[in-house]
Coordinates of all heavy atoms in Angstrom, one line a residue:
S24 N 12.0 18.3 -3.2 CA 12.1 18.2 -1.8 C 13.5 18.7 -1.4 O 14.4 18.7 -2.2 CB 11.9 16.7 -1.4 OG 13.1 16.0 -1.4
I25 N 13.6 19.1 -0.1 CA 14.9 19.6 0.4 C 16.0 18.5 0.3 O 17.1 18.8 0.0 CB 14.7 20.0 1.9 CG1 13.8 21.2 2.0 CG2 16.0 20.4 2.5 CD1 14.2 22.5 1.3
N26 N 15.6 17.2 0.6 CA 16.6 16.1 0.5 C 17.2 16.0 -0.9 O 18.4 15.9 -1.1 CB 15.9 14.8 0.9 CG 16.7 14.1 1.9 OD1 17.7 14.6 2.4 ND2 16.2 12.9 2.3
R27 N 16.3 16.1 -1.9 CA 16.8 16.0 -3.3 C 17.7 17.2 -3.7 O 18.7 17.0 -4.3 CB 15.6 16.0 -4.3 CG 15.9 15.9 -5.7 CD 14.7 16.0 -6.6 NE 13.8 17.1 -6.4 CZ 14.1 18.4 -6.8 NH1 15.2 18.6 -7.5 NH2 13.3 19.3 -6.6
V28 N 17.3 18.4 -3.3 CA 18.2 19.6 -3.6 C 19.5 19.5 -2.9 O 20.5 19.8 -3.5 CB 17.4 20.9 -3.2 CG1 18.3 22.1 -3.3 CG2 16.2 21.0 -4.0
S29 N 19.5 19.0 -1.6 CA 20.8 18.9 -0.9 C 21.7 17.9 -1.5 O 22.9 18.1 -1.6 CB 20.6 18.6 0.6 OG 20.0 17.3 0.8
M30 N 21.2 16.8 -2.0 CA 22.0 15.8 -2.7 C 22.5 16.3 -4.0 O 23.6 16.0 -4.4 CB 21.2 14.5 -2.9 CG 20.9 13.7 -1.6 SD 22.4 13.2 -0.7 CE 23.1 12.1 -1.8
E31 N 21.6 17.0 -4.7 CA 22.0 17.6 -6.0 C 23.2 18.6 -5.8 O 24.2 18.5 -6.5 CB 20.8 18.3 -6.6 CG 21.0 18.9 -7.9 CD 19.8 19.6 -8.5 OE1 18.9 18.8 -9.0 OE2 19.7 20.8 -8.4
A32 N 23.1 19.4 -4.8 CA 24.2 20.4 -4.5 C 25.4 19.7 -4.2 O 26.5 20.0 -4.6 CB 23.7 21.3 -3.4
A33 N 25.4 18.6 -3.3 CA 26.5 17.8 -2.9 C 27.2 17.2 -4.2 O 28.4 17.2 -4.3 CB 26.2 16.8 -1.9
N34 N 26.4 16.7 -5.1 CA 26.9 16.1 -6.3 C 27.6 17.1 -7.2 O 28.6 16.8 -7.8 CB 25.8 15.4 -7.1 CG 25.3 14.1 -6.4 OD1 26.1 13.5 -5.7 ND2 24.1 13.7 -6.7
F35 N 27.0 18.3 -7.3 CA 27.6 19.4 -8.1 C 29.0 19.7 -7.5 O 30.0 19.9 -8.3 CB 26.8 20.7 -8.1 CG 25.6 20.6 -9.0 CD1 24.5 21.4 -8.7 CD2 25.5 19.8 -10.1 CE1 23.3 21.3 -9.5 CE2 24.4 19.7 -10.9 CZ 23.3 20.5 -10.6
V36 N 29.1 19.8 -6.2 CA 30.4 20.1 -5.5 C 31.4 18.9 -5.8 O 32.6 19.2 -6.1 CB 30.3 20.4 -4.0 CG1 31.6 20.4 -3.3 CG2 29.5 21.7 -3.8
A37 N 30.9 17.7 -5.7 CA 31.8 16.6 -6.0 C 32.3 16.6 -7.4 O 33.4 16.1 -7.7 CB 31.0 15.3 -5.8
L38 N 31.6 17.2 -8.3 CA 32.0 17.3 -9.7 C 32.9 18.5 -10.0 O 33.3 18.8 -11.1 CB 30.7 17.4 -10.7 CG 29.9 16.1 -10.7 CD1 28.6 16.3 -11.5 CD2 30.8 15.0 -11.4
G39 N 33.1 19.3 -8.9 CA 34.0 20.5 -9.1 C 33.5 21.8 -8.9 O 34.2 22.8 -9.0
M40 N 32.2 22.0 -8.8 CA 31.6 23.3 -8.5 C 31.9 23.8 -7.2 O 32.1 23.1 -6.2 CB 30.1 23.3 -8.6 CG 29.5 23.3 -10.0 SD 27.7 23.5 -9.8 CE 27.3 23.8 -11.5
S41 N 31.9 25.1 -7.0 CA 32.1 25.7 -5.7 C 30.7 25.5 -5.0 O 29.7 25.4 -5.6 CB 32.4 27.2 -5.8 OG 31.2 27.9 -6.2
P42 N 30.7 25.5 -3.6 CA 29.5 25.4 -2.9 C 28.4 26.4 -3.3 O 27.3 26.1 -3.5 CB 29.9 25.4 -1.4 CG 31.3 24.9 -1.4 CD 31.9 25.4 -2.7
M43 N 28.9 27.7 -3.4 CA 27.9 28.8 -3.8 C 27.3 28.5 -5.2 O 26.1 28.7 -5.4 CB 28.6 30.1 -3.7 CG 27.6 31.3 -4.1 SD 26.1 31.3 -3.0 CE 26.8 32.2 -1.6
D44 N 28.2 28.1 -6.1 CA 27.6 27.9 -7.5 C 26.7 26.7 -7.4 O 25.7 26.6 -8.2 CB 28.8 27.6 -8.5 CG 29.5 28.9 -8.9 OD1 28.9 30.0 -8.7 OD2 30.6 28.8 -9.4
A45 N 27.0 25.7 -6.6 CA 26.1 24.5 -6.5 C 24.7 24.9 -5.9 O 23.7 24.5 -6.4 CB 26.7 23.4 -5.6
I46 N 24.7 25.8 -4.9 CA 23.5 26.3 -4.3 C 22.7 27.1 -5.3 O 21.5 26.9 -5.5 CB 23.8 27.1 -3.0 CG1 24.3 26.1 -1.9 CG2 22.5 27.8 -2.5 CD1 24.9 26.8 -0.7
R47 N 23.4 28.0 -6.0 CA 22.7 28.8 -7.1 C 22.1 27.9 -8.2 O 21.0 28.1 -8.6 CB 23.7 29.8 -7.7 CG 23.9 31.0 -6.8 CD 24.8 32.0 -7.6 NE 25.2 33.1 -6.7 CZ 26.4 33.4 -6.5 NH1 27.4 32.8 -7.1 NH2 26.7 34.4 -5.7
S48 N 22.8 26.9 -8.6 CA 22.4 26.0 -9.6 C 21.1 25.2 -9.2 O 20.3 24.9 -10.0 CB 23.5 25.0 -10.0 OG 24.5 25.7 -10.6
S49 N 21.0 24.9 -7.9 CA 19.9 24.2 -7.4 C 18.7 25.0 -7.0 O 17.6 24.5 -6.7 CB 20.3 23.4 -6.1 OG 21.4 22.5 -6.4
T50 N 18.9 26.3 -7.1 CA 17.8 27.2 -6.6 C 17.5 28.3 -7.7 O 16.7 28.1 -8.6 CB 18.2 27.9 -5.3 OG1 19.4 28.6 -5.4 CG2 18.3 26.9 -4.2
S51 N 18.2 29.4 -7.6 CA 17.8 30.6 -8.5 C 18.1 30.3 -10.0 O 17.2 30.6 -10.8 CB 18.6 31.8 -8.1 OG 20.0 31.6 -8.1
L52 N 19.2 29.6 -10.3 CA 19.4 29.3 -11.7 C 18.4 28.2 -12.2 O 18.0 28.3 -13.4 CB 20.9 28.8 -11.9 CG 21.9 29.9 -11.7 CD1 23.3 29.3 -11.9 CD2 21.7 31.1 -12.7
A53 N 18.0 27.3 -11.4 CA 17.0 26.3 -11.8 C 15.7 27.0 -12.1 O 15.0 26.6 -13.0 CB 16.9 25.2 -10.7
A54 N 15.3 28.0 -11.2 CA 14.1 28.7 -11.5 C 14.1 29.4 -12.8 O 13.1 29.4 -13.6 CB 13.8 29.7 -10.3
K55 N 15.3 30.0 -13.1 CA 15.4 30.7 -14.4 C 15.3 29.8 -15.6 O 14.6 30.0 -16.5 CB 16.7 31.5 -14.4 CG 16.9 32.4 -15.6 CD 18.1 33.3 -15.5 CE 18.2 34.3 -16.6 NZ 19.2 35.3 -16.4
L56 N 16.0 28.6 -15.5 CA 16.0 27.6 -16.5 C 14.6 27.1 -16.8 O 14.2 26.9 -17.9 CB 16.9 26.5 -16.1 CG 17.5 25.7 -17.3 CD1 18.6 26.5 -18.0 CD2 18.1 24.4 -16.8
L57 N 13.8 26.9 -15.7 CA 12.4 26.4 -15.8 C 11.4 27.5 -16.1 O 10.2 27.3 -16.2 CB 12.0 25.7 -14.5 CG 12.9 24.5 -14.2 CD1 12.6 24.0 -12.8 CD2 12.6 23.4 -15.2
K58 N 11.9 28.8 -16.3 CA 11.1 29.9 -16.6 C 10.0 30.2 -15.5 O 8.9 30.6 -15.9 CB 10.5 29.8 -18.0 CG 11.6 29.7 -19.0 CD 11.0 29.7 -20.4 CE 12.3 29.6 -21.3 NZ 12.0 29.9 -22.7
V59 N 10.4 30.0 -14.3 CA 9.5 30.3 -13.2 C 10.1 31.4 -12.3 O 9.6 31.6 -11.2 CB 9.1 29.1 -12.3 CG1 8.3 28.1 -13.2 CG2 10.3 28.4 -11.7
D60 N 11.1 32.0 -12.8 CA 11.9 33.0 -12.0 C 11.1 34.3 -11.8 O 11.5 35.2 -11.1 CB 13.2 33.3 -12.6 CG 13.2 33.7 -14.0 OD1 12.4 33.3 -14.8 OD2 14.1 34.6 -14.4
D61 N 9.9 34.4 -12.4 CA 9.1 35.6 -12.2 C 8.3 35.5 -10.9 O 7.8 36.5 -10.4 CB 8.1 35.8 -13.3 CG 7.1 34.7 -13.5 OD1 7.4 33.5 -13.1 OD2 6.0 34.9 -14.0
H62 N 8.4 34.3 -10.2 CA 7.7 34.2 -8.9 C 8.4 33.3 -7.9 O 8.0 33.2 -6.8 CB 6.3 33.7 -9.1 CG 6.2 32.3 -9.6 ND1 6.2 32.0 -11.0 CD2 6.1 31.1 -9.0 CE1 6.1 30.7 -11.1 NE2 6.1 30.1 -9.9
T63 N 9.6 32.8 -8.3 CA 10.4 32.0 -7.3 C 11.8 32.1 -7.7 O 12.2 32.6 -8.8 CB 9.9 30.5 -7.3 OG1 10.5 29.9 -6.2 CG2 10.2 29.8 -8.6
G64 N 12.7 31.6 -6.9 CA 14.1 31.6 -7.2 C 14.9 32.7 -6.5 O 16.1 32.8 -6.7
Q65 N 14.3 33.6 -5.8 CA 14.9 34.6 -5.0 C 14.2 34.9 -3.8 O 13.0 34.6 -3.7 CB 15.2 35.8 -5.9 CG 13.9 36.5 -6.4 CD 14.2 37.8 -7.2 OE1 14.8 38.7 -6.7 NE2 13.8 37.8 -8.4
I66 N 14.9 35.5 -2.8 CA 14.2 35.9 -1.6 C 13.8 37.4 -1.8 O 14.7 38.3 -1.7 CB 15.1 35.7 -0.4 CG1 15.5 34.3 -0.3 CG2 14.4 36.2 0.9 CD1 16.6 34.0 0.7
A67 N 12.6 37.6 -2.1 CA 12.1 39.0 -2.3 C 10.6 39.0 -2.0 O 9.9 38.0 -2.1 CB 12.4 39.4 -3.8
E68 N 10.1 40.2 -1.7 CA 8.7 40.4 -1.5 C 7.8 39.9 -2.7 O 8.2 40.3 -3.8 CB 8.3 41.8 -1.1 CG 6.9 42.0 -0.7 CD 6.6 43.5 -0.3 OE1 7.6 44.2 -0.1 OE2 5.4 43.8 -0.2
G69 N 6.8 39.1 -2.4 CA 5.9 38.6 -3.5 C 6.4 37.4 -4.1 O 5.7 36.8 -5.0
Y70 N 7.6 36.9 -3.8 CA 8.1 35.6 -4.4 C 7.8 34.4 -3.5 O 7.9 34.6 -2.3 CB 9.6 35.7 -4.6 CG 10.0 36.5 -5.9 CD1 9.7 37.8 -6.0 CD2 10.5 35.8 -7.0 CE1 10.0 38.5 -7.2 CE2 10.8 36.5 -8.1 CZ 10.6 37.8 -8.2 OH 10.9 38.5 -9.4
D71 N 7.6 33.3 -4.1 CA 7.5 32.0 -3.3 C 8.9 31.7 -2.9 O 9.8 31.8 -3.6 CB 6.9 30.9 -4.2 CG 5.5 31.1 -4.7 OD1 4.8 31.9 -4.0 OD2 5.2 30.6 -5.7
A72 N 9.0 31.2 -1.6 CA 10.3 30.9 -1.1 C 10.3 29.8 -0.1 O 9.3 29.8 0.7 CB 11.0 32.1 -0.6
D73 N 11.3 28.9 -0.1 CA 11.5 28.0 1.0 C 12.9 28.4 1.6 O 13.8 28.5 0.8 CB 11.5 26.6 0.5 CG 10.2 26.1 0.1 OD1 9.2 26.7 0.5 OD2 10.1 25.0 -0.6
L74 N 12.9 28.6 2.9 CA 14.2 29.0 3.5 C 14.5 27.8 4.5 O 13.6 27.3 5.1 CB 14.1 30.3 4.3 CG 13.6 31.5 3.5 CD1 13.5 32.7 4.5 CD2 14.7 31.8 2.5
V75 N 15.8 27.5 4.6 CA 16.2 26.5 5.5 C 17.2 27.0 6.5 O 18.0 27.9 6.1 CB 16.8 25.2 4.8 CG1 15.7 24.6 3.9 CG2 18.0 25.5 4.0
V76 N 17.2 26.5 7.7 CA 18.2 26.8 8.7 C 19.0 25.5 8.9 O 18.4 24.4 9.1 CB 17.6 27.2 10.0 CG1 18.6 27.5 11.1 CG2 16.7 28.5 9.8
V77 N 20.3 25.6 8.8 CA 21.2 24.5 9.1 C 22.2 24.8 10.2 O 22.4 26.0 10.4 CB 21.9 24.0 7.8 CG1 20.9 23.5 6.7 CG2 22.7 25.2 7.2
E78 N 22.7 23.8 10.8 CA 23.7 24.1 11.9 C 25.0 24.6 11.5 O 25.6 25.4 12.1 CB 23.8 22.8 12.7 CG 24.8 22.9 13.9 CD 25.0 21.6 14.6 OE1 24.7 20.6 14.1 OE2 25.4 21.7 15.8
R79 N 25.5 24.1 10.3 CA 26.8 24.4 9.8 C 26.8 25.2 8.6 O 25.8 25.2 7.9 CB 27.7 23.2 9.6 CG 27.9 22.4 10.9 CD 28.6 21.0 10.7 NE 27.5 20.1 10.1 CZ 27.7 19.5 9.0 NH1 28.8 19.5 8.3 NH2 26.8 18.7 8.5
N80 N 27.8 25.9 8.2 CA 27.9 26.7 7.0 C 28.1 25.8 5.8 O 29.1 25.2 5.6 CB 29.1 27.6 7.1 CG 29.2 28.6 6.0 OD1 28.6 28.5 4.9 ND2 30.1 29.6 6.1
P81 N 27.1 25.8 4.9 CA 27.1 25.0 3.7 C 28.2 25.4 2.7 O 28.6 24.7 1.8 CB 25.7 25.0 3.1 CG 25.2 26.3 3.6 CD 25.8 26.5 5.0
L82 N 28.7 26.7 2.8 CA 29.8 27.1 2.0 C 31.1 26.5 2.4 O 32.0 26.4 1.6 CB 29.9 28.6 2.0 CG 28.6 29.4 1.5 CD1 28.8 30.9 1.6 CD2 28.2 28.9 0.1
Q83 N 31.2 26.0 3.6 CA 32.4 25.3 4.1 C 32.2 23.8 3.9 O 33.2 23.1 3.7 CB 32.7 25.6 5.5 CG 33.1 27.1 5.7 CD 33.2 27.5 7.2 OE1 32.8 26.7 8.1 NE2 33.8 28.6 7.4
D84 N 31.0 23.3 4.0 CA 30.7 21.9 3.9 C 29.3 21.7 3.3 O 28.3 21.9 4.1 CB 30.8 21.1 5.2 CG 30.6 19.6 5.1 OD1 30.3 19.1 3.9 OD2 30.6 18.9 6.1
I85 N 29.2 21.5 2.0 CA 27.9 21.5 1.4 C 26.9 20.4 2.0 O 25.7 20.6 1.9 CB 28.1 21.2 -0.2 CG1 26.8 21.6 -0.9 CG2 28.5 19.8 -0.5 CD1 26.5 23.1 -1.0
R86 N 27.5 19.4 2.6 CA 26.7 18.4 3.2 C 25.9 18.9 4.4 O 24.9 18.2 4.8 CB 27.5 17.2 3.7 CG 28.1 16.4 2.4 CD 29.1 15.4 2.8 NE 30.2 16.1 3.5 CZ 31.2 15.5 4.2 NH1 31.2 14.2 4.3 NH2 32.1 16.2 4.8
A87 N 26.2 20.1 4.9 CA 25.4 20.7 5.9 C 23.9 20.9 5.5 O 23.0 20.9 6.3 CB 26.0 22.1 6.3
L88 N 23.7 21.0 4.2 CA 22.3 21.1 3.7 C 21.5 19.9 3.9 O 20.2 19.9 3.8 CB 22.3 21.5 2.2 CG 22.9 22.8 1.8 CD1 22.9 23.0 0.3 CD2 22.1 24.0 2.5
Q89 N 22.1 18.8 4.2 CA 21.4 17.5 4.4 C 20.8 17.4 5.8 O 20.1 16.4 6.1 CB 22.3 16.3 4.1 CG 22.7 16.3 2.6 CD 23.7 15.3 2.2 OE1 24.1 14.5 3.1 NE2 24.2 15.4 1.0
D90 N 21.2 18.3 6.7 CA 20.7 18.2 8.1 C 19.9 19.5 8.4 O 20.5 20.4 9.1 CB 21.8 18.0 9.1 CG 21.3 17.7 10.5 OD1 20.1 17.3 10.6 OD2 22.1 17.9 11.4
V91 N 18.7 19.6 7.9 CA 17.9 20.9 8.0 C 17.3 20.9 9.4 O 16.7 19.9 9.9 CB 16.9 21.0 6.9 CG1 16.0 22.1 7.1 CG2 17.6 21.0 5.6
I92 N 17.4 22.0 10.1 CA 16.9 22.2 11.4 C 15.5 22.9 11.4 O 14.6 22.5 12.1 CB 17.8 23.0 12.3 CG1 19.1 22.2 12.5 CG2 17.2 23.3 13.7 CD1 20.2 23.0 13.1
V93 N 15.3 23.9 10.5 CA 14.1 24.6 10.3 C 13.8 24.8 8.9 O 14.7 25.1 8.1 CB 14.1 26.0 11.0 CG1 12.8 26.8 10.8 CG2 14.3 25.8 12.5
I94 N 12.6 24.6 8.4 CA 12.1 24.9 7.1 C 11.0 25.9 7.2 O 10.0 25.7 7.9 CB 11.6 23.7 6.3 CG1 12.7 22.6 6.2 CG2 11.1 24.1 4.9 CD1 12.3 21.3 5.6
I95 N 11.2 27.0 6.4 CA 10.1 28.0 6.3 C 9.7 28.0 4.9 O 10.5 28.3 4.0 CB 10.6 29.4 6.8 CG1 11.1 29.4 8.2 CG2 9.5 30.5 6.6 CD1 11.9 30.6 8.6
S96 N 8.4 27.7 4.6 CA 7.9 27.7 3.3 C 6.8 28.7 3.2 O 5.8 28.7 3.8 CB 7.3 26.3 3.0 OG 6.8 26.2 1.7
N97 N 7.0 29.7 2.3 CA 6.1 30.8 2.0 C 5.6 31.4 3.3 O 4.4 31.7 3.5 CB 4.9 30.3 1.2 CG 5.3 29.9 -0.2 OD1 6.1 30.6 -0.8 ND2 4.9 28.7 -0.6
G98 N 6.6 31.7 4.2 CA 6.3 32.4 5.5 C 5.8 31.6 6.6 O 5.6 32.1 7.7
E99 N 5.6 30.3 6.4 CA 5.1 29.4 7.5 C 6.2 28.4 7.9 O 6.8 27.8 7.0 CB 3.9 28.6 7.0 CG 2.7 29.4 6.6 CD 2.0 30.1 7.8 OE1 2.0 29.6 8.9 OE2 1.5 31.2 7.6
I100 N 6.4 28.2 9.2 CA 7.4 27.2 9.6 C 6.7 25.8 9.4 O 5.7 25.5 10.0 CB 7.7 27.4 11.1 CG1 8.5 28.7 11.2 CG2 8.6 26.2 11.6 CD1 8.8 29.1 12.7
V101 N 7.3 25.0 8.6 CA 6.8 23.7 8.3 C 7.6 22.5 8.9 O 7.1 21.4 9.0 CB 6.6 23.4 6.8 CG1 5.6 24.4 6.2 CG2 7.9 23.5 6.0
R102 N 8.8 22.8 9.4 CA 9.6 21.9 10.1 C 10.4 22.6 11.1 O 11.0 23.6 10.8 CB 10.5 21.1 9.2 CG 11.3 20.1 9.9 CD 12.1 19.2 9.0 NE 12.8 18.2 9.7 CZ 13.7 17.4 9.2 NH1 13.9 17.4 7.9 NH2 14.3 16.4 9.9
N103 N 10.4 22.2 12.4 CA 11.1 22.9 13.4 C 11.7 21.9 14.4 O 11.0 21.2 15.1 CB 10.2 23.8 14.2 CG 10.9 24.7 15.2 OD1 12.1 24.5 15.4 ND2 10.2 25.6 15.7
R104 N 13.0 21.7 14.3 CA 13.8 20.8 15.2 C 14.5 21.6 16.3 O 15.4 21.1 17.0 CB 14.8 20.0 14.4 CG 14.1 19.0 13.4 CD 15.1 18.2 12.6 NE 16.2 17.7 13.4 CZ 17.5 17.6 13.0 NH1 17.8 18.1 11.8 NH2 18.4 17.1 13.8
L105 N 14.1 22.9 16.5 CA 14.7 23.7 17.5 C 14.1 23.2 18.9 O 13.0 22.7 18.9 CB 14.4 25.2 17.4 CG 15.2 25.8 16.2 CD1 14.8 27.2 16.0 CD2 16.7 25.7 16.4
P106 N 14.8 23.2 19.9 CA 16.1 23.9 20.2 C 17.3 23.1 19.9 O 18.2 23.0 20.7 CB 16.0 24.3 21.7 CG 15.2 23.1 22.3 CD 14.2 22.7 21.2
F107 N 17.4 22.5 18.8 CA 18.6 21.7 18.4 C 19.9 22.5 18.6 O 20.0 23.5 18.0 CB 18.4 21.3 16.9 CG 19.6 20.5 16.4 CD1 19.6 19.1 16.6 CD2 20.7 21.1 15.8 CE1 20.7 18.3 16.2 CE2 21.7 20.3 15.3 CZ 21.7 19.0 15.5
G108 N 20.7 21.9 19.4 CA 22.1 22.5 19.6 C 22.1 23.8 20.3 O 23.2 24.4 20.4
I109 N 21.0 24.3 20.9 CA 21.0 25.5 21.7 C 21.6 25.3 23.1 O 21.2 24.3 23.8 CB 19.6 26.1 21.8 CG1 19.1 26.6 20.4 CG2 19.6 27.3 22.8 CD1 17.7 27.1 20.4
T110 N 22.6 26.1 23.4 CA 23.2 26.0 24.8 C 23.2 27.3 25.5 O 23.1 28.4 24.8 CB 24.7 25.5 24.7 OG1 25.4 26.4 23.9 CG2 24.8 24.1 24.1
N111 N 23.1 27.3 26.8 CA 23.1 28.5 27.5 C 24.5 28.9 28.0 O 25.3 28.2 28.2 CB 22.2 28.4 28.8 CG 20.7 28.3 28.3 OD1 20.4 28.9 27.3 ND2 20.0 27.5 29.1

């Protein structure tokens, strides 16, 4: 689940990893370790993917991953909290 991955990434950063390394460890490197990287773990045509939209940059504050606004799973929007934060 997204919640589990965001907490895992935050814990990695708390242990000294950079935010980017924590994100990679929770996504693409995990797919490689589990030997499922032939169909997931990267954003590419033909690969399974979950994409998330967050309000803040997780590379500046990894906890931004804990407040997901939009989730796209295999091309379908499965969670949509927009127009969260949209101003004119």
